[in-house]
Amino acid sequence: MRVLVVKTSSMGDVLHTLPALTDAANCIPDITFDWVVEENFSLIPSWHFAVDEVIPVAIRRWRKNWFAKAIRQERQQFIAHLRHQQYDCIIDAQGLIKSAFLITRKARGIKHGLDRQSIKEPIASWFYDVKHHVPKQMHAIERVRLLFAKSLDYTQPDSIGDYAIARHFLSALPTDNQQYLVFLHATTREEKHWTEAAWRELIELIEPTGLKIKLPWGALHEQARALRLAQGFNHVEVLPKLSLNEIATIIAGSKAVVSVDTGLSHLTAALDRPNITLFGKTDPKLIGGYGKNQHSIISTDKTMQSISANEVYQQLTDFI
C-alpha cells in the first residue's frame, strides 16, 4: 500500500506527523509513504523508516516571485513528478487552502482530510474525497494520529505515539558520553524569548555540576546572543553554524535540553531527550512537548520574565 502524506511545514508540525506514520506502519505491514514537505524541512521525513520518497516543495520560496519563468518551470516539474505515481491513499495533514489547492488536488488517488468542523481553513476540505471529523481539543500529535487511523481504517493505538527517529541517530552520537546540556535560546517571536540575564544565571548554576553547555544558533543575531550568554564561562560552547542533521545529532547526544518554544524543542521531544520548555503566553496543552521526559514551565503571568533560573534548575536536577 502506497500513501502520500501532505504536510509541508512548519518544523514542529512536520515532526508532529511522525508518530502517525509509526502507528500506520505497525498496523499495516506493507505500507510505505511518500511525503510532500517544504524543502527546508525535507530531511525530517527521511529519518523515518516508513518513508520511501521525500518530495520537496518550495511554496515559501515560489510565492516571492510566483510568475517568474524559472519558478513556473519548477512548479510544473513538481506537479509532473507528483502525478507520476498513483496512490492508494492521499492524506492532507496540513489542512490549509494552499496545500489542498496547490498539492493535494493534483495528486492521483483518493484524497483524505479533515472536515469543515475540524480544519483550520474550512474551504480546504472542498478538495478532499473523504472528510474526517477530529476534535480540536486534542494535542496536535493525537489529532494527526486519529486522522491517519480514520483515513487508513485501523484503530488508533492507546499507547503514546512513537516518533521513531531517535534510532536514526544512535550510530552517529557524539563521543563525550552525554555529559553536556543543550540550551535552545533562539526563537522567532520576541515574546517567547527568555531574558539573557536568566539564561546566564542558569548557566552559572550549572557550572558546579561539571556539565558542559552547548549553544546552537541559526541566524547572526542568534549567534551574537549566544556569544553574550557564553561570555566569561569556560563550560559553555557556542557551536558553529550547523545543518539540521548536525543539530539533531548534537541534541540526540545530550544529557538534557532547556528550550524556549521553538521548532527545535519539538525535535528534542522526537529524539527522546529530556527537555524543559519555557512558555509565556502560549498554552502548551495542544502543541507543547510530547513524548518521554517532556516538561513545561508555564509563566504565572504569561510573560517569560517571571520564570526564574532557579525554578528551571530545580527541574533540571532530575536529569543531571
Side-chain angles (χ1 to χ4, degrees), residues 7-31:
K7 188 71 164 181
T8 59
S9 62
S10 59
M11 183 189 296
D13 290 341
V14 173
L15 289 161
H16 284 166
T17 307
L18 295 170
L21 272 70
T22 309
D23 289 346
N26 289 337
C27 293
I28 307 171
D30 66 339
I31 198 168

Side-chain angles (χ1 to χ4, degrees), residues 59-270:
I59 295 174
R60 291 182 174 185
R61 176 167 55 80
W62 291 345
R63 66 187 178 192
K64 295 177 182 178
N65 202 1
W66 190 261
F67 297 104
K69 182 178 180 181
I71 298 301
R72 292 201 311 270
Q73 290 175 340
E74 265 194 72
R75 291 203 305 272
Q76 290 168 359
Q77 291 168 357
F78 166 77
I79 293 168
H81 183 79
L82 186 66
R83 291 188 59 79
H84 178 73
Q85 178 70 48
Q86 175 71 39
Y87 290 99
D88 298 296
C89 178
I90 298 163
I91 304 177
D92 187 334
Q94 192 74 29
L96 299 177
I97 296 170
K98 66 179 181 181
S99 63
F101 180 75
L102 296 173
I103 303 169
T104 305
R105 76 181 183 97
K106 297 181 184 296
R108 297 168 58 217
I110 298 174
K111 302 164 179 63
H112 293 252
L114 297 170
D115 66 16
R116 289 179 59 83
Q117 288 72 43
S118 310
I119 204 166
K120 185 175 182 180
E121 297 181 358
I123 292 175
S125 66
W126 293 356
F127 300 99
Y128 308 144
D129 301 312
V130 185
K131 305 170 180 64
H132 303 284
H133 182 73
V134 174
K136 288 185 175 181
Q137 295 306 310
M138 299 171 66
H139 191 282
I141 288 177
E142 296 299 337
R143 296 192 79 221
V144 181
R145 292 179 75 194
L146 184 54
L147 173 61
F148 271 58
K150 289 188 171 187
S151 300
L152 297 169
D153 194 26
Y154 60 83
T155 301
Q156 180 185 341
D158 293 330
S159 57
I160 191 169
D162 179 8
Y163 298 91
I165 65 169
R167 68 192 73 171
H168 178 85
F169 294 93
L170 290 178
S171 62
L173 288 181
T175 57
D176 39 3
N177 197 28
Q178 297 189 351
Q179 296 305 303
Y180 64 87
L181 307 174
V182 175
F183 285 0
L184 300 175
H185 57 93
T187 186
T188 53
R189 291 168 56 182
E190 188 60 35
E191 67 269 21
K192 291 185 177 183
H193 281 293
W194 201 27
T195 66
E196 292 186 21
W199 277 118
R200 284 182 59 82
E201 186 178 347
L202 180 60
I203 288 170
E204 189 170 359
L205 288 170
I206 294 296
E207 191 167 16
T209 70
L211 290 169
K212 303 295 183 182
I213 297 170
K214 295 181 185 287
L215 301 178
W217 54 274
L220 289 177
H221 68 279
E222 296 169 356
Q223 181 191 31
R225 182 193 303 112
L227 290 170
R228 292 193 298 270
L229 296 181
Q231 187 173 8
F233 293 112
N234 293 326
H235 64 301
V236 181
E237 177 188 4
V238 176
L239 298 172
K241 188 173 179 62
L242 301 175
S243 68
L244 183 58
N245 197 80
E246 291 169 330
I247 292 173
T249 301
I250 292 291
I251 291 173
S254 68
K255 197 170 183 65
V257 176
V258 178
S259 64
V260 291
D261 181 15
T262 181
L264 292 179
S265 179
H266 297 296
L267 178 58
T268 303

